[in-house]
Amino acid sequence: MNAHVKVWGVKTGTISPLIYGHFIEHLGRCIYGGVFDEDSPLADSSGFRKDVLEAVRRIKCPVLRWPGGNFASAYHWEDGIGPRERRPKLINYVWGGIETNRFGTDEFIEYCRRIGAEPYLAVSLGTGTLDEALHWLEYCNLDTPTKYAEMRKTFGHPEPYRVKYWGVGNEVYGPWQVGHCSAREYAEKLRQFAMFMKALDPSIQIIAVGADDPEWDLTVLKHAGKVIDFISIHQYHGSEDYYETVAAAYYVEERLKLLASLIKSTRMDHVKIAFDEWNVWYQVDPEEEAREKGIVYLEEPYTLKDALFAAGIFLVLHRLSDVVGMANLAQMVNALGMIKTQKDAMVLTPIYHVFDLFVNHTGTVRLGCEVLADSYAIRAKSFLKGRSSFALERVPYFDASATYDPSRNVLSLAMVNFHRDEPCEVAVDFSDVPAGKEGQLFELTAPDVLAGNDFASPNRVVPVSRAVALSESSYSLPPHTLWVLEVPLEGTLGGTV
Ligand code: AHR
Ligand code: AHR
């Protein structure tokens, strides 16, 4: 197979660093036993797993969403503050098990500070009220001599947390959600929550619940578009089939473009897309797990094929960076987790390594990039009882994104050969950029697309790197492989962004 890439030395836009965000929820072993494990020998004095914390730091998590997900819709934030031994133990009726509330707002904020992430809180629209949301905002962000701001100070946090990102509700369009309602009901609640929350703290940004349904999304945008900053969309894909999984990134691209066109048609151009839940999810059915074990864990094992889906998502998000302002993988640890833990060990899945390569080796300035490659047609219908079927006429076997890192004067070309069996001979044209003589190549691949890392073999799928001469204009990408090629520049690039 052959492909052509032409890199133009022209800056065409900026990529929000927030697209590499994450999400943690009180679900299975995501928080307790994953992020926070007071009994573990690997925990620090705050109860945070040090190995997980270090791994998350390495991929510079820019924004972290909490406490859910579905859990957020039944969460009362006041249960999770104050002395830990006095916090109520409650039944987590959303995902099963007992919620000890030992990880609450103060622990979450401390965690975000430790990993350098912006906190993103989701307020409850299920059993929660407007009052509760405003009190939470006061607790977090205000310095007034009033009840909840004083409460934060009493608990040892004199400075306001200044939480910038606030989600109003979660997936309330779905019958599984506590607080399920119609688009009109939601749009009016959202308008009120956003209006009063912004009156309390005008510096915050509001993320509205989008449904990946034009009728719902249009209702929300028309009724409350003026008071929101983001509209969300969630996408879970994948199956045991390789092409169904990797092609799904291009279905996601279509859904994101559709949402962008709705934003444009309502003239709400200030609204960005928050793609705040995305991942591969097809093996563990929450209803079956709840029936069998009483607790939902969703511990999906991830392989190279799932990582290539993630790489495809980032290529898509680079292309759509004018409209997508944030994205959050669902989820960070154990539950649908890109990191897995046991009592005394941690495993980084191939999806983690895709974050590593994109976060640490691509830039935040988008460059002009033309890609010519073969494509295939697909009909996919396998995600948990066929909930996520799609059909696409033209899915590329090869795709690429060119970016630029001004702080290092380095151009970066991310390329994926999605072909399962054939290598791809790529002719790369760098003639429009002042490329140096030698680049650094980072590669993520494995002999088998179903290869993954586990506790016995944690390093089966890991990135490797080598120096490459840039005098050659053709490169051979092995089948099912992600490459990130860093190109040091010997001059400057045109265009302003
Ligand atoms: O990430 C798991 C769940 O998927 C989230 O709680 C929910 O928002 C979505 O349905
Ligand atoms: O797709 C949404 C998910 O479907 C919910 O999070 C889960 O509870 C349901 O089975």
Side-chain angles (χ1 to χ4, degrees):
M1 201 183 50
N2 294 297
H4 294 264
V5 178
K6 164 88 187 170
V7 179
W8 293 97
V10 176
K11 300 171 196 156
T12 59
T14 53
I15 298 166
S16 167
L18 301 184
I19 64 166
Y20 304 113
H22 293 274
F23 168 41
I24 54 172
E25 175 168 14
H26 293 248
L27 191 185
R29 300 190 309 122
C30 178
I31 293 181
Y32 305 107
V35 164
F36 184 76
D37 199 353
E38 292 169 286
D39 303 327
S40 166
L42 294 174
D44 65 12
S45 57
S46 306
F48 302 142
R49 281 278 297 239
K50 284 184 277 188
D51 50 352
V52 174
L53 197 114
E54 277 315 311
V56 175
R57 264 199 198 131
R58 280 203 295 279
I59 54 166
K60 305 188 177 82
C61 173
V63 58
L64 187 60
R65 179 172 181 247
W66 175 82
N70 298 352
F71 178 81
S73 298
Y75 182 61
H76 297 283
W77 70 273
E78 281 192 73
D79 292 333
I81 53 164
R84 282 187 198 160
E85 55 291 349
R86 277 199 246 141
R87 298 183 194 171
K89 286 196 182 67
L90 298 169
I91 290 168
N92 179 344
Y93 65 85
V94 172
W95 296 114
I98 290 170
E99 174 52 58
T100 62
N101 281 303
R102 292 180 73 83
F103 187 94
T105 303
D106 298 334
E107 289 77 16
F108 172 66
I109 298 291
E110 192 194 333
Y111 197 74
C112 288
R113 302 288 183 253
R114 298 275 291 278
I115 60 174
E118 285 285 344
Y120 163 8
L121 295 175
V123 308
S124 169
L125 274 197
T127 54
T129 62
L130 174 60
D131 262 349
E132 270 182 282
L134 294 172
H135 296 162
W136 201 7
L137 178 60
E138 179 191 324
Y139 181 89
C140 290
N141 285 11
L142 296 199
D143 208 1
T144 47
T146 48
K147 181 173 170 182
Y148 296 97
E150 292 294 343
M151 208 183 255
R152 183 195 66 241
K153 293 178 195 170
T154 309
F155 294 148
H157 309 282
E159 290 306 314
Y161 291 148
R162 301 195 198 291
V163 175
K164 185 167 169 192
Y165 300 105
W166 293 80
V168 176
N170 176 72
E171 292 189 353
V172 279
Y173 51 82
W176 59 85
Q177 200 71 206
V178 180
H180 173 219
C181 62
S182 71
R184 281 218 61 86
E185 286 166 326
Y186 174 66
E188 174 52 17
K189 270 196 209 168
L190 166 68
R191 193 193 59 77
Q192 288 191 37
F193 271 63
M195 183 177 80
F196 290 109
M197 288 174 76
K198 283 189 169 177
L200 220 59
D201 182 354
S203 72
I204 63 169
Q205 303 218 334
I206 295 286
I207 295 120
V209 172
D212 189 25
D213 164 4
E215 239 179 271
W216 175 287
D217 295 343
L218 278 176
T219 305
V220 168
L221 286 163
K222 283 183 191 156
H223 191 79
K226 290 205 175 93
V227 290
I228 65 173
D229 303 279
F230 291 89
I231 183 163
S232 71
I233 178 168
H234 293 173
Q235 297 275 316
Y236 293 100
H237 291 284
S239 73
E240 47 287 295
D241 182 82
Y242 172 76
Y243 283 111
E244 284 192 5
T245 305
V246 296
Y250 295 88
Y251 176 69
V252 169
E253 183 165 23
E254 294 309 309
R255 306 314 293 176
L256 293 172
K257 279 194 204 153
L258 173 62
L259 181 52
S261 73
L262 301 176
I263 294 171
K264 211 170 170 48
S265 74
T266 50
R267 298 212 175 85
M268 293 294 161
D269 295 303
H270 66 281
V271 176
K272 298 280 177 238
I273 295 173
F275 182 25
D276 58 9
E277 285 188 32
W278 68 272
N279 209 342
V280 169
W281 176 8
Y282 65 94
Q283 301 194 44
V284 197
D285 182 337
E287 282 151 46
E288 264 168 41
E289 265 205 328
R291 241 193 331 269
E292 285 164 19
K293 303 180 192 153
I295 298 182
V296 178
Y297 292 99
L298 302 184
E299 300 204 3
E300 291 251 346
Y302 291 122
T303 64
L304 178 64
K305 101 177 146 43
D306 308 316
L308 294 176
F309 163 76
I313 290 290
F314 288 137
L315 297 180
V316 164
L317 295 183
H318 284 186
R319 262 198 294 278
L320 299 181
S321 65
D322 294 339
V323 287
V324 181
M326 184 194 296
N328 308 69
L329 182 79
Q331 302 189 1
M332 199 167 84
V333 191
N334 291 330
L336 306 174
M338 63 158 184
I339 297 173
K340 308 288 184 198
T341 66
Q342 276 179 350
K343 262 274 150 293
D344 53 1
M346 172 185 78
V347 166
L348 305 173
T349 68
I351 293 180
Y352 172 93
H353 295 303
V354 171
F355 272 82
D356 177 13
L357 293 188
F358 275 85
V359 169
N360 293 315
H361 301 287
T362 71
T364 52
V365 175
R366 194 182 61 214
L367 298 180
C369 180
E370 283 167 19
V371 180
L372 211 64
D374 290 348
S375 62
Y376 58 100
I378 193 161
R379 258 171 208 287
K381 40 168 130 12
S382 324
F383 169 63
L384 290 180
K385 300 168 193 151
R387 266 188 306 196
S388 193
S389 52
F390 63 86
L392 293 172
E393 276 299 318
R394 255 184 293 279
V395 184
Y397 277 115
F398 169 88
D399 199 1
S401 157
T403 56
Y404 173 62
D405 176 356
S407 69
R408 297 186 301 148
N409 201 29
V410 165
L411 180 156
S412 175
L413 184 61
M415 299 180 265
V416 183
N417 178 9
F418 290 109
H419 205 294
R420 188 185 48 206
D421 310 307
E422 285 178 30
C424 185
E425 309 304 324
V426 191
V428 183
D429 181 350
F430 280 132
S431 61
D432 197 47
V433 295
K437 291 186 180 46
E438 194 180 86
Q440 193 66 23
L441 177 66
F442 299 84
E443 177 181 273
L444 188 71
T445 194
D448 184 350
V449 295
L450 295 181
N453 300 325
D454 52 37
F455 291 94
S457 299
N459 297 318
R460 223 178 263 132
V461 188
V462 290
V464 292
S465 92
R466 61 180 183 270
V468 289
L470 295 169
S471 47
E472 287 152 40
S473 56
S474 186
Y475 300 87
S476 183
L477 260 83
H480 54 262
T481 294
L482 163 65
W483 269 13
V484 178
L485 177 59
E486 284 189 337
V487 178
L489 297 184
E490 289 177 346
T492 50
L493 294 179
T496 45
V497 287

